[in-house]
Amino acid sequence: MTHPDPTTRPSAFAPIAQLARDLRSGATSSVALTRECLRRVAAHDGHFKSFIAVYEPEALAAAALADKELGAGRDRGPLHGIPVALKDLVNIEGKPTTAGSPLLADNIARQDADIVRRIVEAGGVIVGKTHMVQLALGAWGTNSHMDTPRNPAGRAADTLAPGGSSSGSAVAVAAHLVPWAIGSDTGGSVRVPAAFCGIVGFKPTIDALPRGGVYPLSETLDSLGLLVSSVEDARLCFEALASLPAASPDANPKASRRIGVLEADELAPLAPAVARNHALSLQRLEEAGFSLVPFRFPAPLAAFKAPTNAIMIAEGAWVNDRLLDDPEAPMDPSVRPRLIAARATTAVQYLEAQATAARWQQAFAAEMDRLGLSAIAMPTTAMTAPRLEDIDHDLAPVHFTRPINLLALCGIALPAGQDEDQRPIGLQLVGRAGDDHALLGVASAVGSALNGSPASSPEPCSV
């Protein structure tokens, strides 16, 4: 008997829209699709380590119900019967929510999170929960106590950082174990793993996807987000789950082709391969008819670190304060010191950071309006995914993502090529607060200009 090679990814799923058509035509069933996800997880996740829990009986029951409803003519929309994985900070009634920490192993949810209710109402099938950085505080994707998911990207000999904190959700999609997954993003925790793993990561405007029943890091900065294989999948998932319907078309159609770009001094942190790729991506956008307009954020990107940390770490310390006092408790060495240090944040520092954020949010919106821009195109990360042994935990790969959270914007990371070591490179698009649907439209056009995903992506298959 031959066994599947755990280092080899299964073929990609067909786009969600195609899977939805196959479900309705009878070409497949939700039970068959769910069984295929469970088979892939059983065969390959021992290597990729993306799942912390798999809910096989519940998933198959939900899939059977989806098939029954579709057969009876009750159609809940494009996610009806489609499997999904959830980052393990989303409550499912009766299941533990660990937030990546063994200290929360007995944290049993009393009711479903709001996003779970939305998924169930849309007919989605929850396959299980995914690993994450402890307490969602970290962007490299490592977790020394509950497992670090293995990035499928790069050369076979490499063990690359998956990106975090939504590490398992990104890996589960990039390894083709599920068609899509839920993550969360406080300073880049959806977009960084998407860029490192070579997939699409969409961070909507705060509360565009409901956060009730989700273990928080920062009430001010957290967003739920989507890890998917394409912009079209992001659009379908977001429109099925979002709090607000799609807005009417932009009243200024000329703005849809005007994109802001960073000036040279703000691109100085880029690694050479990423800088070359970014220049090539912008060249392709110009060739596709986009107008590229120099744009400056309300402050240098490096200046966003202090106010973001003052808010995020202070709020995170408040949420997790009860976990910090026992020095013997299993807490990652890159997490505990940051939260303990945050106890020294003064009320003045915290309120000054909030006031700075409000001021910069207004300035950003005014500059976007003045220039007539539909989005900003910028790098997702300054480097490609490092090997796990090369990570410097005193740094974080969020230089280009963290400002988007402080400004309460929406952002999406798109695959934009690879470096010489076959490590993915991401291009980030940023839109105004509340312009999520419009940003997804721009991202679709930009993705077409970039020729979609990296050339090494396999052909998708239906089930």
Side-chain angles (χ1 to χ4, degrees):
M1 178 179 177
T2 61
H3 296 278
D5 181 356
T7 66
T8 303
R9 285 182 289 175
S11 297
F13 285 103
I16 289 175
Q18 181 61 53
L19 294 176
R21 288 192 291 270
D22 290 346
L23 285 170
R24 285 152 182 79
S25 71
T28 190
S29 68
S30 181
V31 167
L33 187 56
T34 302
R35 287 193 185 280
E36 174 62 11
C37 288
L38 294 168
R39 184 195 68 78
R40 294 180 185 212
V41 172
H44 299 280
D45 204 51
H47 174 75
F48 291 115
K49 300 179 180 179
S50 60
F51 279 86
I52 187 173
V54 176
Y55 306 134
E56 180 171 349
E58 296 91 337
L60 290 173
L65 177 61
D67 287 334
K68 180 178 180 180
E69 289 183 338
L70 287 169
R74 184 179 184 186
D75 193 331
R76 295 176 181 265
L79 299 184
H80 200 166
I82 306 293
V84 59
L86 308 180
K87 184 176 182 177
D88 192 24
L89 45 58
V90 178
N91 284 345
I92 298 177
E93 183 178 357
K95 305 293 186 185
T97 299
T98 73
S101 175
L103 297 171
L104 297 173
D106 296 327
N107 180 35
I108 307 301
R110 296 181 179 179
Q111 59 184 16
D112 288 340
D114 292 344
I115 191 66
V116 169
R117 295 192 187 101
R118 295 269 177 99
I119 291 170
V120 171
E121 289 167 2
V125 176
I126 298 170
V127 172
K129 286 193 180 183
T130 56
H131 280 292
M132 56 178 285
V133 175
Q134 192 171 44
L135 306 177
L137 189 57
W140 292 115
T142 58
N143 188 317
S144 61
H145 292 97
M146 306 226 0
D147 256 339
T148 296
R150 180 166 181 150
N151 189 340
R155 301 185 188 279
D158 290 334
T159 304
L160 302 179
S165 61
S166 305
S167 49
S169 288
V171 169
V173 173
H176 311 315
L177 305 183
V178 289
W180 69 289
I182 292 286
S184 68
D185 191 310
T186 308
S189 289
V190 162
R191 291 158 291 153
V192 170
F196 279 4
C197 293
I199 60 173
V200 172
F202 178 45
K203 173 226 168 306
T205 304
I206 293 171
D207 287 327
L209 297 180
R211 293 183 290 165
V214 175
Y215 194 90
L217 174 58
S218 167
E219 182 67 25
T220 299
L221 303 174
D222 289 348
S223 293
L224 284 183
L226 306 171
L227 283 308
V228 290
S229 296
S230 69
V231 175
E232 178 62 13
D233 283 358
R235 185 189 65 79
L236 282 177
C237 294
F238 181 70
E239 291 184 354
L241 302 174
S243 300
L244 298 174
S248 59
D250 193 336
N252 181 8
K254 293 182 181 179
S256 65
R257 307 298 287 188
R258 289 175 61 83
I259 291 181
V261 295
L262 301 182
E263 300 201 53
D265 61 316
E266 287 285 29
L267 299 175
L270 296 182
V274 178
R276 291 192 296 271
N277 177 275
H278 188 66
L280 179 60
S281 294
L282 297 185
Q283 178 184 327
R284 288 174 175 166
L285 295 188
E286 281 194 304
E287 292 170 350
F290 287 93
S291 296
L292 304 185
V293 181
F295 180 85
R296 286 197 175 274
F297 278 75
L301 296 183
F304 281 80
K305 180 178 180 178
T308 302
N309 281 349
I311 295 170
M312 177 179 68
I313 306 299
E315 292 182 352
W318 178 75
V319 170
N320 297 292
D321 189 69
R322 70 196 187 282
L323 306 177
L324 301 180
D325 288 330
D326 180 2
E328 301 301 319
M331 188 171 291
D332 284 7
S334 60
V335 173
R336 181 195 297 276
R338 298 173 68 191
L339 292 175
I340 290 177
R343 286 171 162 175
T345 303
T346 67
V348 170
Q349 290 170 327
Y350 177 79
L351 293 173
E352 282 181 346
Q354 291 280 8
T356 297
R359 186 170 65 253
W360 287 354
Q361 288 166 14
Q362 293 178 349
F364 178 91
E367 186 68 357
M368 289 281 284
D369 290 342
R370 184 182 75 82
L371 297 174
L373 303 179
S374 59
I376 309 298
M378 56 194 292
T380 308
T381 59
M383 78 297 289
T384 53
R387 298 181 184 90
L388 288 177
E389 60 266 28
D390 295 334
I391 291 174
D392 182 352
H393 285 286
D394 290 331
L395 304 174
V398 295
H399 179 81
F400 293 101
T401 56
R402 140 177 74 208
I404 312 315
N405 298 77
L406 191 71
L407 297 177
L409 307 173
C410 52
I412 187 168
L414 308 179
Q418 298 176 339
D419 68 8
E420 60 274 9
D421 293 317
Q422 301 177 12
R423 302 180 190 190
I425 297 172
L427 178 72
Q428 180 180 202
L429 298 174
V430 178
R432 295 174 177 85
D435 274 4
D436 304 85
H437 298 283
L439 179 65
L440 289 167
V442 175
S444 180
V446 167
S448 296
L450 298 176
N451 295 317
S453 55
S456 60
S457 292
E459 289 297 316
C461 66
S462 296
V463 176

